[in-house]
Each structure stands twice: as C-alpha cells, then as structure tokens.
C-alpha cells in the first residue's frame, strides 16, 4: 500500500474538499497510476479509518463508490483493485498527443481561419453593440412575469421546435409592416441568433462541395457557417452600391449567396435596386438561394427605411435572416429565419428533426414585449439616440481627423473610417485597443488577395455616449498619426 495514501493526513482546513472526496481521489490516482496494481487488496476499513483518523462510514462510502465506478471489486475476502489494462497509458499520455493517430479534427475545422478578434466588447467604440444601459429592463421583467404566469410550469418544458407560435406571429406581423417582407407566421423559424439562422440555411439548402458566394469585406460569421458546411467559397467585391458580381462568375453558379443589402457590413453601402433585381433574376435562373442578412436595418437615420429585398417580387428565392441582438441586446440570443413559401413541407419536416424547442420563457417574454408595443417604442427611442450619437461621432472625426473619408452612416450602429495605405489598419486597431478603444480593422473582414485592398477602421457608436467621442477620437487621431510617422520612417 503506498505510504502517502495511508500516512499523509487528509486536509482539514476550511474550504477543503470533504474527507470522503479526498480519500476517493487518492485511491483513484493510485489505481490509475499503477501504484495499486490490479488484484491487490485494499486495507480493511477498520485499519484505514484508524490510520487516517476518519469515520468508518467514510471509508465504507469510498469503497462502495470505487466498486460502483469500476475501480475495485468486492468479494468475500474484502475489496480488491479491478483489472484496468489501459490505465497507465491513459494517465501518463501526453495531453497534446492523441492516443490514436487516426483521431484528428475534421478538415472543415482546419479551413476555418479566425475572423476579427472581438476584443473587449465593454470598451467604447465597439462595432455592432447597442446601447445596453438604455434597454427598458423593468418593462422586460414585467413581460417575463406575465409570460411565466400565463404559461405556468410549461414554460420550463420543451417548446415548438420552430419557435413559440406567439413569437413567430409577432415577428411575421412586424416584418410585414416594418420591412415589407412577404411572410406568414408559418414561414418563420426562431433561431439562436443570426448565426444560428445562417447555419440553418446551410444545413437546409446546401450540400458539401457546393459553391457559396459572400461579400468581401463582409461578416465573418457567414464564412464560418459556409466552411462548417464544407462549401467552396468565393468572395465578391463591394463598392458604393453594394456587392459587385462579375457576369462571368455565373458560369459556375453557387448554391448560396450571402448579402447585407440594406446596410453592407462593414462598409455601410446600400445595394442598389438595379443590382437587387438583377441578383434575384439570376438566382432564380440558376436555382440559387440568396441569404438576405438584415442585421440592423431598423436603424435608418436618413430618409425612409429601405424595404427588404425579399419583398421586392413574389416568391423571391430569398432566405431572410434577422436578429434581436442589435435592436434589443446580444445576450438574448434570439434571431429568426423566414423561409420562402416554395420551401414546402419538406423543410418543416427536416426542421422538426434538426431543432429542439427551448428558451421558452425568453421567447414568450419577447412575444409579450412586441405585442404590447414595447418593442416599437424602444426602436423609436433608439433611432433618435443613435442618430444623435452618430452626429457626435462625425463631429469628432471632422475635428480631429478631417483629412480621412468616412463611409456609411445612413443606417446602423457604426461608421467606417478610411485610412491611407501607409497606415495599416491592423496595427492601428491593436494600438487603439491597448488605449481602451475597441475599433475594428476593415482588412480583418476580408480574406486572401482582397485583404490588402481594404484599409480602414470600423467605429461603433451604439454603446458609447455622445460626450465620450471628443476625447476618444482625439486619442485615436494621435495613434493614426503616430502610425503614419512610423511607416514614413520605415519607408
């Protein structure tokens, strides 16, 4: 019997694990490490409790647990160590080396390159972050209470795999009125944010090896979803009218095309009507699906809201994706996918197998929040707030970096600041983060050869108060000019 197991006293200090847990752990380590070989007998419970000064019931409980977990076997003579042939190999294996050479990650994992480092999202100037301190928490809590009272204990059970019917109806009603989407509640699927909706599009409408097109620069989450579906990805450039598709590219048409037409991410461009109609026509001609990611279109700051591309023509080949992460708060993790009517019952049957209903209380509370008018009132308040904050950001940029052009601004929660080629945006973004500002580098939203064609900063204003922009942009201007001087000296 190993001396440490018997002679070393158990830890009796406050906060230490119970004596039973400590003794059980000692036996397991000794058995797996080979100090207690198979077939060896464990000491009698009486002698062990005298040696360690513990109650006999403690030792009995440890022995019973060792037998229950397969570490030991009990017979008429007592308790002996069970035969565990692979135990030493498991204990002494190097963690970084697989136990079997055939055990490795899937190919799709190796193709997933890191997208933009989100950094500390609590820092000011974080892109895509709404004004968290302006969310009406009291109203939300009342909606949760009412939802729980109505549903009772059933709010804790599994729900409809496609989402709570009340929420699907509320979403459909809102989209018809506010976004011009052609849909009924039966076409709405509630998802785990927009990322869940994107992954669902891939699983439902694409096969491994098929082509997918996306914007460049563009949202990194869709690239990850396409990679996870083992799709062949092609990047499409973006100009001031949105995504640009070379007519020659249609010789090898894709299965899925991801676009952010109402507010391109991250440039802020709006896809022109001519390009929208042409894209729909070509997609219909070649049997493609367009994924319309309408992530923050509710916040239109100039002119009237731009209707969704999905509603431009009847039965458009568009999979409409949206989220409440920008309109309410990211931690809610509720998004939605609007399926075309032509998707038919086949998609519904597949969804019933792929999804499991959950987050019922949050979904029911959101349905209450929307039906009671709280959602519309909150959007109205946030539009005014974000318009004011964007104006304050523009004023600060004009004061401290007047020589640099600003992109976007008609919608959303961010502006894009163009940087000269001599000022690499990645280095500026890193330095800004070290100085307490979480701005993004535009180049990090691109991949491959296109990465060097985009150079700028994505500056969020949603969760930053107006009075902060002056000091923050002044600090950012120092970093930009320091970078320019460093590149000039190096050149």
């Amino acid at each position: 019997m190993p001396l440490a197991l018997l002679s070393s006293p158990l830890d009796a200090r406050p906060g230490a694990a119970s004596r039973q847990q400590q003794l059980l752990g000692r036996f397991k380590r000794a058995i797996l490490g080979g100090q207690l070989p198979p077939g060896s007998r464990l000491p009698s419970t009486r002698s062990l409790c005298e040696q360690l000064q513990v109650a006999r019931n403690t030792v009995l409980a440890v022995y019973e647990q060792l037998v229950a977990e397969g570490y030991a076997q009990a017979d008429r003579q007592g308790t002996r160590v069970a035969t565990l042939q692979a135990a030493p190999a498991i204990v002494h294996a190097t963690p970084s080396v697989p136990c079997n050479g055939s055990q490795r990650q899937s190919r799709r994992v190796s193709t997933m390159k890191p997208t933009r480092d989100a950094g500390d999202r609590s820092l000011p100037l974080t892109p895509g972050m709404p004004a968290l301190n302006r969310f009406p928490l009291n109203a939300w809590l009342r909606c949760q209470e009412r939802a729980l009272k109505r549903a009772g204990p059933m709010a804790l059970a599994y729900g409809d795999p496609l989402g709570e019917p009340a929420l699907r109806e509320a979403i459909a009603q809102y989209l018809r009125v506010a976004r011009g989407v052609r849909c009924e509640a039966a076409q709405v699927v509630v998802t785990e944010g927009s990322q869940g909706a994107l992954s669902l599009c891939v699983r439902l409408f694409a096969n491994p090896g098929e082509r997918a097109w996306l914007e460049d620069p563009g949202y990194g989450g869709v690239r990850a979803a396409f990679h996870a579906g083992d799709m062949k990805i092609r990047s499409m450039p973006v100009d001031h009218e949105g995504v640009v598709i070379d007519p020659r590219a249609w010789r090898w048409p894709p299965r899925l095309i991801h676009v952010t037409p109402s507010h391109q991410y991250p440039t802020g461009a709006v896809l022109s009507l001519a390009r929208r109609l042409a894209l729909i026509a070509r997609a219909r001609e070649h049997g493609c699906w367009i994924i319309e990611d309408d992530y923050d279109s509710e916040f239109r700051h100039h002119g009237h809201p731009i209707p969704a591309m999905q509603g431009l023509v009847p039965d458009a080949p568009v999979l409409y994706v949206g989220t409440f992460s920008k309109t309410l708060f990211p931690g809610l993790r509720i998004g939605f996918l609007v399926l075309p009517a032509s998707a038919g019952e086949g998609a519904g049957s597949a969804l019933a197998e792929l999804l499991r209903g959950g987050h019922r209380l949050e979904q029911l509370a959101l349905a209450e929040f929307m039906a009671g008018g709280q959602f519309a009132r909150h959007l109205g308040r946030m539009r005014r707030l974000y318009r004011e904050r964007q104006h304050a950001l523009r004023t600060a940029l004009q004061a401290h970096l007047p020589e640099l052009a600003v992109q976007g601004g008609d919608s959303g929660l961010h502006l894009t600041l163009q940087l000269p080629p001599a000022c690499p945006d990645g280095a500026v973004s890193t330095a800004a983060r070290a100085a307490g500002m979480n701005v993004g580098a535009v180049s990090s939203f691109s991949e491959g050869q296109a990465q060097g064609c985009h150079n700028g900063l994505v500056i969020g204003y949603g969760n930053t108060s107006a009075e902060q922009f002056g000091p923050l942009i002044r600090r950012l201007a120092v970093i930009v000019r320091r970078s320019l001087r460093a590149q000039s000296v190096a050149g």
Side-chain angles (χ1 to χ4, degrees), residues 174-195:
Y174 168 74
L175 293 178
R176 288 193 296 265
V177 174
R179 301 297 304 125
V181 173
R182 301 170 186 248
C183 71
E184 300 297 331
Q187 295 171 246
V188 177
V189 182
V190 179
T191 63
E192 185 88 359
S194 61
Q195 193 64 36

Side-chain angles (χ1 to χ4, degrees), residues 212-215 236-237 241-247 249-250 253-262 270-293 309-310 312-313 315-319:
W213 293 351
L214 45 70
E215 300 167 328
M236 296 293 169
E241 290 187 45
V243 66
V244 181
I245 298 179
D246 189 329
W250 291 104
R255 184 65 170 170
L256 297 176
I257 306 170
H258 178 269
V259 291
T260 50
S262 296
V270 176
L271 188 62
S272 65
L273 178 60
R275 290 188 186 179
R276 292 180 184 222
L277 293 173
L279 183 57
I280 290 173
R282 282 297 195 124
R284 182 172 283 165
E285 176 186 347
H286 292 282
C288 313
W289 290 106
I290 301 168
I291 302 175
E292 179 180 7
D293 193 341
M309 187 166 67
Q310 189 264 13
L312 282 178
V313 298
D315 200 24
V318 175
L319 309 169

